[in-house]
Amino acid sequence: MTEQDAAFERCVDFLVRMMNKYGKEFLEEVEKKTDIKEKKKSA
Protein backbone atom coordinates (compact mmCIF):
# COMPACT_ATOMS: atom_id res chain seq x y z
CA MET A 1 0.00 0.00 0.00
CA THR A 2 1.42 3.36 -0.98
CA GLU A 3 1.55 6.37 1.29
CA GLN A 4 -1.23 8.00 -0.73
CA ASP A 5 -3.41 4.91 -0.41
CA ALA A 6 -2.92 4.87 3.35
CA ALA A 7 -3.78 8.56 3.63
CA PHE A 8 -6.89 8.02 1.51
CA GLU A 9 -7.98 5.11 3.72
CA ARG A 10 -7.57 7.27 6.84
CA CYS A 11 -9.61 10.03 5.22
CA VAL A 12 -12.39 7.63 4.24
CA ASP A 13 -12.43 6.13 7.73
CA PHE A 14 -12.72 9.60 9.25
CA LEU A 15 -15.56 10.58 6.91
CA VAL A 16 -17.46 7.38 7.69
CA ARG A 17 -17.11 7.99 11.43
CA MET A 18 -18.36 11.57 11.08
CA MET A 19 -21.29 10.50 8.90
CA ASN A 20 -22.26 7.84 11.43
CA LYS A 21 -21.95 10.28 14.31
CA TYR A 22 -23.49 13.45 12.80
CA GLY A 23 -25.24 12.34 9.61
CA LYS A 24 -28.79 12.27 10.95
CA GLU A 25 -28.46 15.68 12.63
CA PHE A 26 -26.93 17.17 9.50
CA LEU A 27 -29.71 15.88 7.25
CA GLU A 28 -32.38 17.18 9.62
CA GLU A 29 -30.75 20.62 9.61
CA VAL A 30 -30.60 20.65 5.81
CA GLU A 31 -34.27 19.70 5.62
CA LYS A 32 -35.23 22.52 7.97
CA LYS A 33 -33.31 25.08 5.93
CA THR A 34 -34.80 23.75 2.68
CA ASP A 35 -38.32 23.96 4.12
CA ILE A 36 -37.72 27.56 5.23
CA LYS A 37 -36.46 28.56 1.77
CA GLU A 38 -39.42 26.91 0.04
CA LYS A 39 -41.90 28.65 2.34
CA LYS A 40 -40.27 32.04 1.61
CA LYS A 41 -40.50 31.44 -2.16
CA SER A 42 -44.17 30.50 -2.03
CA ALA A 43 -45.12 33.46 0.21
Side-chain angles (χ1 to χ4, degrees):
M1 180 178 284
T2 68
E3 189 175 320
Q4 283 184 327
D5 289 339
F8 179 76
E9 285 289 324
R10 287 192 304 273
C11 180
V12 170
D13 288 342
F14 171 77
L15 290 174
V16 168
R17 287 194 312 271
M18 293 300 106
M19 289 172 66
N20 286 335
K21 188 172 184 178
Y22 299 111
K24 185 177 178 182
E25 293 173 36
F26 175 75
L27 290 175
E28 289 172 355
E29 186 66 26
V30 169
E31 280 183 1
K32 286 180 191 176
K33 290 181 179 183
T34 302
D35 288 344
I36 291 170
K37 287 181 182 180
E38 288 177 1
K39 287 179 183 178
K40 286 182 180 180
K41 285 184 180 180
S42 64

